[in-house]
């Protein structure tokens, strides 16, 4: 049966590849152009991979710590974050695509700061009232929606509302560091986020073991606030250029 499977696979590959084999003028990539592209974006594999590692660690290491020392609190936190992450993912991803499609053109014309300010103001204008409303009503509403045993989810949603507000405001412009070839800056920011979250939980374990989630929410809000300020400052630089303009 194994041999038959391999035989049919080979036949399928042959039939799919046959039209390509018949093509006479097959164009191969230009080596010089390929080298140029690799040089332009050489920082991506060097810094982007560890950046993603620290980003992942910053999200999951705190969960492991909280689950190890706070038990069921980790479950409440997980549900609260899942609920709060839905608007962040939906709105942030949509606006990120629009922002990135315009960013390169705005950089070339020296209009990035004005464009970024406009995007951030619009985001804050519409998102701030939503997150304020969530922070005020979630502690009561979640008890009715999920049941009285899950009312803690609503309290945690109120605690992490500032964190998610700054995250949703920062997310559209977070790729700006990559677009302009400053991957090392992005790496350092993600390392800072991982460090500040983990360190705050260690401090909480030693001095305030009953406030693990509160420390985690506060440190996450602080990180995204600093991240937001840094990205806004970075976008305001007058001499900001693209990697292709450095050659």
């Amino acid at each position: 049966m194994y041999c038959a499977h391999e035989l049919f696979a080979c036949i399928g590959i042959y039939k799919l590849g046959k039209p390509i084999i018949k093509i006479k003028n097959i164009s191969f990539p230009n080596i010089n152009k390929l080298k140029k592209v690799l040089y332009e974006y050489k920082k991506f594999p060097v810094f982007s991979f560890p950046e993603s590692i620290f980003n992942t660690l910053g999200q999951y290491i705190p969960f492991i710590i909280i689950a190890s020392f706070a038990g069921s609190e980790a479950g409440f936190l997980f549900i609260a974050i899942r609920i709060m992450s839905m608007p962040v993912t939906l709105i942030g991803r949509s606006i990120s695509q629009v922002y990135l499609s315009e960013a390169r053109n705005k950089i070339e014309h020296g209009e990035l700061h004005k464009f970024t300010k406009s995007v951030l103001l619009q985001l804050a204008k519409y998102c701030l009232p939503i997150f304020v409303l969530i922070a005020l009503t979630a502690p009561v509403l979640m008890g009715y929606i999920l049941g009285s045993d899950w009312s803690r989810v609503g309290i945690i949603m109120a605690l992490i509302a500032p964190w998610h507000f700054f995250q949703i405001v920062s997310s559209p412009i977070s790729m700006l560091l990559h677009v302009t070839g400053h991957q090392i800056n992005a790496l350092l920011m993600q390392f800072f986020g991982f460090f500040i979250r983990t360190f705050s939980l260690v401090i909480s374990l030693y001095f305030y073991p009953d406030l693990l989630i509160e420390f985690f929410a506060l440190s996450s809000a602080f990180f995204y606030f600093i991240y937001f300020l840094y990205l806004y400052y970075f976008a305001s630089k007058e001499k900001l250029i693209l990697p292709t303009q450095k050659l």
Side-chain angles (χ1 to χ4, degrees):
M1 184 176 289
Y2 176 78
C3 293
H5 173 75
E6 294 299 319
L7 177 61
F8 281 116
C10 292
I11 294 173
I13 293 172
Y14 172 74
K15 288 185 176 181
L16 289 172
K18 190 175 180 180
I20 300 176
I21 296 173
K22 291 182 178 180
I23 298 176
K24 294 182 179 180
N25 299 321
I26 299 177
S27 59
F28 293 94
N30 185 285
I31 299 299
N32 292 328
K33 289 184 178 179
L34 186 60
K35 288 181 179 179
K36 183 179 179 181
V37 171
L38 290 174
Y39 178 79
E40 291 175 14
Y41 299 100
K42 62 182 179 180
K43 293 182 180 179
F44 276 90
V46 177
F47 297 113
S48 294
F49 177 71
E51 178 204 349
S52 65
I53 293 296
F54 281 119
N55 183 34
T56 302
L57 290 175
Q59 294 178 43
Y60 291 104
I61 293 297
F63 266 111
I64 295 174
I65 295 175
I66 293 172
S68 300
F69 294 94
S72 61
E73 286 285 280
F76 295 138
L77 176 63
F78 177 78
I79 295 173
I81 290 177
R82 293 289 290 181
I83 295 173
M84 296 291 284
S85 295
M86 287 189 288
V88 173
T89 303
L90 180 63
I91 298 173
R93 187 174 298 173
S94 300
I95 298 179
S96 292
Q97 293 174 354
V98 177
Y99 181 83
L100 287 176
S101 65
E102 295 288 337
R104 299 180 71 90
N105 181 55
K106 297 298 181 181
I107 291 174
E108 292 172 354
H109 292 84
E111 300 175 349
L112 183 67
H113 181 235
K114 182 179 179 180
F115 176 62
T116 301
K117 184 178 180 180
S118 174
V119 171
L120 295 180
L121 287 176
Q122 290 298 315
L123 269 175
K125 177 181 177 181
Y126 292 106
C127 293
L128 183 59
I130 295 174
F131 282 96
V132 171
L133 183 64
I134 290 173
L136 294 175
T137 61
V140 177
L141 289 179
M142 285 299 106
Y144 288 105
I145 296 173
L146 301 178
S148 58
D149 293 338
W150 298 88
S151 58
R152 176 63 174 163
V153 173
I155 297 173
I156 295 176
M157 286 176 63
L159 291 172
I160 65 177
W163 154 16
H164 283 80
F165 169 71
F166 286 116
Q167 183 180 2
I168 200 172
V169 173
S170 303
S171 59
I173 59 176
S174 60
M175 286 301 294
L176 181 62
L177 298 174
H178 297 269
V179 172
T180 55
H182 292 79
Q183 287 82 8
I184 189 170
N185 302 54
L187 169 61
L188 292 175
M189 288 304 300
Q190 291 302 328
F191 173 76
F192 171 70
F194 162 71
F195 173 78
I196 198 70
R197 287 168 159 179
T198 306
F199 181 72
S200 69
L201 289 177
V202 172
I203 295 296
S204 177
L205 284 173
Y206 275 97
F207 298 103
Y208 306 98
D210 295 331
L211 299 176
L212 278 173
I213 288 183
E214 286 77 3
F215 270 73
F216 178 51
L218 181 63
S219 61
S220 296
F222 176 73
F223 162 62
Y224 277 106
F225 176 66
I226 297 298
Y227 194 33
F228 162 75
L229 291 180
Y230 175 73
L231 289 172
Y232 186 77
Y233 162 76
F234 186 83
S236 67
K237 290 184 177 180
E238 295 181 358
K239 296 183 180 181
L240 199 62
I241 59 176
L242 299 169
T244 51
Q245 296 174 315
K246 297 178 183 179
L247 299 177

